[in-house]
Amino acid sequence: MKNYKDNVKASGFGYTAAGKRELGLRYLNPVKNSYLLKILSVDAINRVEDLIEIQEVQDRLKNEFYKERGALEARYEKSYEPLYEQRYNITNGVNIDCESTTTNQEEKGVPYFWLYAFRGNDALNDMIMDHDEGVLKHLENVKWFRTANLKVFKLEFYFCPNHFLKNSILTVTYHMIDDDDSIIEKIIGTEIHWYSENCLEKDSTGHSRSFFNIFSPTEVHDKHKDLKVKYEMQENYSIGLTIRDEIIPRAISWFTGEAALQHMIKITTKHSNFLDSLSPGVKKHVNILKNIQSDHDELKKMFYKERANIEAKYQNLFQNLYHKRYDIVNGVVQAKTVSNDSKASINQGDITNRDVTAPEGKGIPNFWRHALVNHELLDAEITSPDGRALMYLKEIKCSKIDKGFKLEFFSLL
């Protein structure tokens, strides 16, 4: 990268990934941030102060949004619990109320339910080695929940007694930087105690290749993670999200292969043969689970509808702030008068001795370029040619579309 990125960082625009404000009134002091004063006019500095006030309002609204959305999520997760309990009882042959007189424990339940629910998902199937199957056949249940900190969620894996694991419960906890589950900060897994150290197959480098590696994430000693560590963390996190958002809510659909078919993916021949081999009694249990899934899906639809209403309400509030931000950044409106304290701290010599490369014009020059470069993840992707092109960026908008979102980038003419 060229030096322009160092200069951009020195200006202090934007927010770090941790969400801490890096530019405030106290940073408008030439002693602490002389480069900022060299590239910005007094008018632009006033505008930055206006933007900070707007950002503080948005942060408060965002916190209210997260709390409201979290309360809604918790309420519906509570309503799913009786259905999950029914699923647990049926898959494990506990208190089943159906026409079955068999004394075979496997016939009373659904054998290898979670193993084949995982196998039905393409991403998880690729992670599960043949030697993992013996352990996963003893998996009785999988749960997830958020901690009191909404930025943290935990997966719990419950195992019946077996000759592989000494642990009855394995957990993996994901810590996010934000409340939108978008950036992973760290992952903490259970230390697994095996009855035999040879349970897992080793590759040519001596490392184990196993689904159970998600419980032994790579340790991060500082915030400057190398690319390999970032990749491993992101892969682990992606698996965690898949289990939380796809497998647990729709386990029977993944078990039968119906969910895979909806994703235009075929289950393996081994999986298909296993399903064909199920006894009539087990298939009856599977049909009961499908009915439970239907009840769950109806609740899920209600949840999505309520969540969409909450998101729309806050999005309207955010849009008003974004319009104000646009007008300030692009010089559409006048900035507020700078405070006396700020005036006293500004050295006119610093302002007139401006960086000759700083573009002239109304508003705040290079606002979006500064904001993007100051983000930890984006910083690694922006090259010097990108930086020059971003000088002409005047607005970024985000809108919801079916099963996703759309970003729009508007440039100066």
Side-chain angles (χ1 to χ4, degrees):
M1 299 302 298
K2 299 292 184 180
N3 288 337
Y4 96 89
K5 286 183 68 174
D6 296 329
N7 291 340
V8 170
K9 284 182 174 296
S11 73
F13 274 13
Y15 291 73
T16 64
K20 295 181 180 178
R21 191 174 72 181
E22 294 295 323
L23 176 61
L25 294 179
R26 64 187 181 280
Y27 288 105
L28 298 181
N29 187 305
V31 176
K32 294 183 177 180
N33 210 326
S34 60
Y35 182 78
L36 173 62
L37 296 176
K38 288 181 181 180
I39 67 170
L40 295 181
S41 65
V42 174
D43 176 72
I45 292 173
N46 292 342
R47 292 177 184 277
V48 171
E49 293 185 1
D50 292 348
L51 290 180
I52 290 170
E53 293 179 7
I54 291 174
Q55 187 65 57
E56 289 172 344
V57 173
Q58 182 180 350
D59 288 346
R60 288 195 294 270
L61 287 174
K62 199 78 170 178
N63 287 333
E64 292 175 13
F65 164 70
Y66 288 138
K67 288 179 182 178
E68 193 169 339
R69 188 184 65 178
L72 176 71
E73 184 182 79
R75 176 160 59 86
Y76 271 93
E77 285 299 325
K78 196 74 176 174
S79 68
Y80 302 147
E81 286 181 3
L83 301 177
Y84 292 154
E85 185 176 357
Q86 290 179 49
R87 181 176 69 189
Y88 170 83
N89 290 339
I90 292 171
T91 57
N92 293 285
V94 179
N95 300 324
I96 293 181
D97 183 17
C98 63
E99 299 176 3
S100 178
T101 59
T102 180
T103 57
N104 187 317
Q105 184 62 28
E106 287 190 353
E107 285 289 298
K108 286 183 177 181
V110 179
Y112 314 146
F113 177 75
W114 287 102
L115 167 62
Y116 281 100
F118 286 0
R119 282 290 195 192
N121 181 275
D122 201 38
L124 292 182
N125 185 56
D126 289 342
M127 287 191 62
I128 298 173
M129 302 294 107
D130 289 342
H131 53 269
D132 293 329
E133 286 199 353
V135 191
L136 291 174
K137 285 179 179 179
H138 297 278
L139 183 58
E140 290 185 321
N141 206 4
V142 184
K143 298 180 180 180
W144 84 274
F145 62 91
R146 288 195 188 277
T147 66
N149 181 351
L150 295 179
K151 298 177 183 178
V152 180
F153 74 88
K154 178 183 288 189
L155 295 175
E156 295 181 330
F157 299 76
Y158 295 79
F159 291 85
C160 64
N162 62 84
H163 61 279
F164 297 100
L165 287 172
K166 296 179 181 180
N167 311 66
S168 60
I169 302 175
L170 298 179
T171 67
V172 57
T173 306
Y174 297 91
H175 295 252
M176 269 68 64
I177 287 175
D178 58 14
D179 294 86
D180 283 318
D181 291 348
S182 59
I183 305 175
I184 186 69
E185 180 183 22
K186 64 180 177 179
I187 304 171
I188 301 174
T190 300
E191 181 181 355
I192 301 178
H193 299 284
W194 301 99
Y195 280 112
S196 170
E197 294 182 0
N198 298 320
C199 286
L200 303 183
E201 184 179 284
K202 306 285 184 177
D203 63 18
S204 58
T205 65
H207 293 98
S208 301
R209 299 175 62 247
S210 170
F211 167 82
F212 292 90
N213 287 344
I214 67 170
F215 301 101
S216 304
T218 304
E219 291 186 18
V220 179
H221 299 288
D222 56 56
K223 65 180 181 179
H224 301 292
K225 301 178 285 288
D226 62 35
L227 291 178
K228 182 181 178 181
V229 172
K230 286 184 178 180
Y231 174 78
E232 290 176 352
M233 286 182 63
Q234 193 60 42
E235 184 180 42
N236 189 328
Y237 179 48
S238 177
I239 292 299
L241 287 180
T242 297
I243 294 173
R244 186 193 76 177
D245 297 337
E246 297 287 340
I247 305 299
I248 293 177
R250 306 181 62 216
I252 185 59
S253 298
W254 292 104
F255 176 86
T256 62
E258 294 173 12
L261 199 59
Q262 292 170 2
H263 288 74
M264 309 291 287
I265 298 171
K266 289 185 178 181
I267 57 176
T268 64
T269 301
K270 181 180 178 179
H271 191 162
S272 181
N273 290 338
F274 169 78
L275 294 175
D276 291 338
S277 71
L278 296 177
S279 69
V282 172
K283 289 180 179 178
K284 190 176 294 185
H285 301 159
V286 169
N287 288 332
I288 296 173
L289 290 174
K290 288 181 179 180
N291 292 332
I292 294 173
Q293 185 67 55
S294 296
D295 294 339
H296 177 279
D297 291 346
E298 288 302 313
L299 285 173
K300 203 71 173 179
K301 288 178 183 177
M302 294 168 59
F303 165 72
Y304 286 142
K305 185 176 181 180
E306 288 192 49
R307 187 180 68 177
N309 290 336
I310 292 174
E311 290 174 345
K313 178 181 74 173
Y314 280 94
Q315 190 59 32
N316 288 335
L317 297 174
F318 296 151
Q319 285 301 327
N320 292 333
L321 297 177
Y322 295 155
H323 290 322
K324 291 180 180 180
R325 181 179 67 190
Y326 174 88
D327 290 345
I328 292 170
V329 169
N330 294 286
V332 177
V333 297
Q334 293 293 324
K336 294 178 183 177
T337 304
V338 69
S339 66
N340 290 331
D341 291 341
S342 294
K343 281 181 179 179
S345 69
I346 295 175
N347 185 312
Q348 293 300 317
D350 285 328
I351 296 174
T352 55
N353 183 26
R354 300 182 63 192
D355 190 323
V356 295
T357 63
E360 299 293 337
K362 297 180 178 179
I364 303 177
N366 294 325
F367 174 80
W368 285 105
R369 186 183 73 165
H370 287 273
L372 293 172
V373 168
N374 272 311
H375 193 284
E376 179 184 359
L377 295 182
L378 297 178
D379 173 50
E381 303 298 327
I382 297 174
T383 65
S384 292
D386 294 334
R388 289 191 289 271
L390 290 173
M391 290 171 59
Y392 301 95
L393 184 60
K394 69 174 183 178
E395 178 70 323
I396 302 176
K397 291 184 178 181
C398 178
S399 57
K400 287 235 173 204
I401 58 175
D402 184 38
K403 296 182 180 179
F405 63 91
K406 177 175 69 174
L407 289 176
E408 296 178 287
F409 297 77
F410 299 85
S411 64
L412 296 167
L413 297 177

